[in-house]
Amino acid sequence: QVQLVESGGGLVQAGGSRRLSCAASGLTFSSYAMGWFRQAPGKEREVVAAVNWSGSNAYYADSVKDRFTISRDNAKNTVYLQMNSLKPEDTAVYYCAGTRYYNPGVVDANQYDYWGQGTQVTVSS
């Protein structure tokens, strides 16, 4: 049984930082590209960042470039999202997800097979 468990969410002031973690089990982690997505109230789910199987290539949404960093530790079966310079518009439920497919130019949520339960990040102004 595949499980993805996010942690690290919470309340943070604008301009602050937060690191999310996603621990995976039940799958060969190094065979899966991993992504972070988010969904704010009343809005559609959107991709935040994705990383390939080895961690050598990453994709970022324009809205988070130069502020967020995705990384992974295959020895720990964990993917991270370091979020800096947080803005109120970053407030959302953040989900990690895994896929066997990775395209450095396009991240398609429909290609992700496994999803975590989400962790809330709230950025106060």
Side-chain angles (χ1 to χ4, degrees):
Q1 180 184 356
V2 175
Q3 281 193 311
L4 301 178
V5 180
E6 301 97 335
S7 60
L11 177 64
V12 61
Q13 288 190 332
S17 298
R18 202 82 180 180
R19 189 176 83 154
L20 304 182
S21 300
C22 172
S25 60
L27 76 170
T28 305
F29 185 70
S30 59
S31 296
Y32 282 78
M34 300 298 294
W36 285 97
F37 298 78
R38 67 186 182 187
Q39 187 166 21
K43 294 188 177 182
E44 293 187 354
R45 180 180 57 191
E46 62 177 357
V47 60
V48 175
V51 65
N52 69 347
W53 309 273
S54 66
S56 62
N57 185 278
Y59 167 94
Y60 295 95
D62 287 342
S63 59
V64 306
K65 275 180 183 176
D66 301 323
R67 298 190 300 122
F68 290 12
T69 301
I70 188 171
S71 61
R72 64 189 297 160
D73 186 337
N74 286 346
K76 295 182 178 179
N77 286 3
T78 301
V79 61
Y80 305 97
L81 185 68
Q82 177 66 44
M83 305 183 294
N84 299 330
S85 302
L86 282 161
K87 305 175 181 179
E89 50 263 44
D90 294 318
T91 295
V93 177
Y94 284 72
Y95 300 89
C96 73
T99 178
R100 287 189 173 273
Y101 305 98
Y102 182 78
N103 181 335
V106 177
V107 176
D108 182 355
N110 292 320
Q111 292 185 326
Y112 282 73
D113 301 309
Y114 302 110
W115 293 80
Q117 82 289 349
T119 186
Q120 176 71 46
V121 174
T122 302
V123 184
S124 62
S125 57

